[in-house]
């Protein structure tokens, strides 16, 4: 990937477009169906830097997306850590009243905003930036305990989800089975590749749909926009995952996000549409 020998366009879009052409013939071309995933609310630095990454800043992000008409999934950690990049620290806080109010407001959008579980507290277990992960290295029992506890905490905030978004996009290959037994969709990103390999996206892997997002659709809005426009022009009628980090857009001043949102809005899909398609693909016709 770093050398450019494996790319999203060459190794995902092109072969899947060939499959569509074989199956659908002249009906194969069509608008892409962008699935926008956003990491994360509360922001993992919301306790350390509330003025930059608190609820007020996130509200501005949500307003931009809502005004443009871009539905999205927000990855939610049920706890916020102090110094989450320091594995020696243990301090955390629950979701605050204003964060709960923001989550409640998004729950009231009738599916415009979907939710995914984003670990438990987003604290890395490893100091090296190349190994940041909340999950990697946990034994099977502790992995299951963390997932079940985090799901229960998220449920206490009124949120049910079938989607898992791994903090830092890293988990061990052996942890995929407990994830797939609890979630219909498991997300990933470029950081996932050294741990579980490069996969076309989306793809059934075991009992869950694995849905990684890769550069250039994983990144800042300024980089995502030309890549998304290329797929629009190409009429690549695929489920196409885009991953944004709203904190990056806040740091950039929002204007790139506003341009990107306006351009992709007609081609974005609600996550429930994708989840319904996944259930149907699995044979859950009545779910």
């Amino acid at each position: 990937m770093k050398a450019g020998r494996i790319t999203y366009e060459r190794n995902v879009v092109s072969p899947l477009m060939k499959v569509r052409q074989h199956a659908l013939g002249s009906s194969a071309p069509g608008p892409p169906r962008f699935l926008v995933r956003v990491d994360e609310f509360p922001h993992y630095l919301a306790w350390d830097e509330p003025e930059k990454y608190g609820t007020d800043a996130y509200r501005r992000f949500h307003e931009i997306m809502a005004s443009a008409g871009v539905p999205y999934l927000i990855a939610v950690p049920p706890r916020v850590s102090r110094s989450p990049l320091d594995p020696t620290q243990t301090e955390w806080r629950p979701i605050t009243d204003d964060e709960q109010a923001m989550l409640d407001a998004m729950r009231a959008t009738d599916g415009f905003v979907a939710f995914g579980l984003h670990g438990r507290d987003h604290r890395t277990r490893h100091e090296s930036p190349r190994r940041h992960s909340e999950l990697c290295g946990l034994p099977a029992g502790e992995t299951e305990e963390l997932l079940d506890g985090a799901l229960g905490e998220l449920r206490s905030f009124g949120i049910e989800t079938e989607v898992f978004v791994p903090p830092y996009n890293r988990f061990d290959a052996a942890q995929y089975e407990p994830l797939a037994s609890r979630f219909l969709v498991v997300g990933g990103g470029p950081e996932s590749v050294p741990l579980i390999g490069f996969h076309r996206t989306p793809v059934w892997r075991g009992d869950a749909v694995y849905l990684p997002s890769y550069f250039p659709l994983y990144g800042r809005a300024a980089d995502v926009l030309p890549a998304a426009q290329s797929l629009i022009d190409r009429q690549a009628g695929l489920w196409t995952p885009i991953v944004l980090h709203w904190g990056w857009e806040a740091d950039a001043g929002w204007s790139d996000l506003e341009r990107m949102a306006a351009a992709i809005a007609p081609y974005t899909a609600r996550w429930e549409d994708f989840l319904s398609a996944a259930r149907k693909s699995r044979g859950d016709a009545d779910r």
Side-chain angles (χ1 to χ4, degrees):
M1 289 180 68
K2 290 182 178 179
R5 292 193 295 270
I6 296 176
T7 69
Y8 176 72
E9 283 273 356
R10 181 183 303 131
N11 299 91
V12 177
V13 176
S14 292
L16 291 184
M17 289 284 288
K18 289 179 181 178
V19 171
R20 283 182 61 86
Q21 181 66 40
H22 178 75
L24 301 176
S26 61
S27 300
R33 291 166 287 178
F34 294 124
L35 289 166
V36 180
R37 178 190 117 196
V38 178
D39 297 352
E40 65 275 332
F41 180 81
H43 195 278
Y44 82 118
L45 295 176
W47 198 1
D48 293 340
E49 301 183 61
E51 292 186 0
K52 289 182 66 176
Y53 303 119
T55 303
D56 288 343
Y58 177 76
R59 188 175 292 109
R60 174 61 179 144
F61 170 85
H62 175 73
E63 289 171 351
I64 292 171
M65 301 292 272
S67 296
V70 177
Y72 66 94
L73 178 141
I74 185 67
V76 182
R79 303 179 183 181
V80 178
S81 293
R82 175 81 78 183
S83 304
L85 298 180
D86 185 349
T88 67
Q89 299 297 315
T90 60
E91 193 175 6
W92 62 272
R93 65 161 175 80
I95 285 177
T96 61
D97 290 345
D98 67 315
E99 291 165 348
Q100 178 71 71
M102 187 72 230
L103 291 172
D104 290 343
M106 290 188 287
R107 285 174 56 217
T109 60
D110 192 28
F112 181 83
V113 179
F115 299 92
L117 178 68
H118 198 38
R120 182 176 60 190
D121 58 16
H122 212 292
R123 181 177 300 286
T124 181
R125 302 184 67 249
H126 307 281
E127 185 175 3
S128 168
R130 296 186 178 213
R131 299 183 64 209
H132 282 168
S133 174
E134 188 181 337
L135 296 179
C136 287
L138 278 179
E142 293 183 34
T143 298
E144 294 177 350
E145 181 181 357
L146 184 151
L147 294 174
D148 291 338
L151 278 169
E153 291 183 38
L154 200 64
R155 199 171 293 118
S156 73
F157 304 129
I159 296 173
E160 299 279 353
T161 183
E162 297 179 273
V163 181
F164 183 75
V165 177
Y168 311 102
N169 286 308
R170 292 188 179 97
F171 55 88
D172 292 331
Q175 293 171 322
Y176 186 82
E177 184 175 349
L179 290 170
S181 69
R182 288 164 172 80
F183 301 94
L184 177 60
V185 174
V186 176
E191 300 88 349
S192 311
V193 175
L195 295 166
I196 63 170
F198 182 93
H199 296 270
R200 291 174 188 166
T201 180
V203 63
W204 278 103
R205 178 170 176 156
D207 293 329
V209 175
Y210 182 49
L211 187 69
S213 178
Y214 301 121
F215 297 121
L217 296 174
Y218 178 104
R220 290 168 170 78
D223 299 317
V224 169
L225 176 54
Q229 187 62 58
S230 174
L231 295 174
I232 294 168
D233 295 341
R234 189 173 174 179
Q235 288 286 282
L238 307 172
W239 293 110
T240 305
I242 290 173
V243 171
L244 301 172
H245 293 74
W246 73 266
W248 297 356
E249 305 310 320
D251 293 341
W254 305 119
S255 58
D256 293 331
L257 178 69
E258 290 172 331
R259 284 190 290 271
M260 185 216 71
I264 71 169
Y267 310 99
T268 52
R270 293 194 175 214
W271 274 76
E272 183 51 43
D273 294 339
F274 178 72
L275 296 173
S276 295
R279 295 187 202 104
K280 184 176 181 181
S281 172
R282 191 172 60 183
D284 301 349
D286 297 329
R287 290 185 60 184

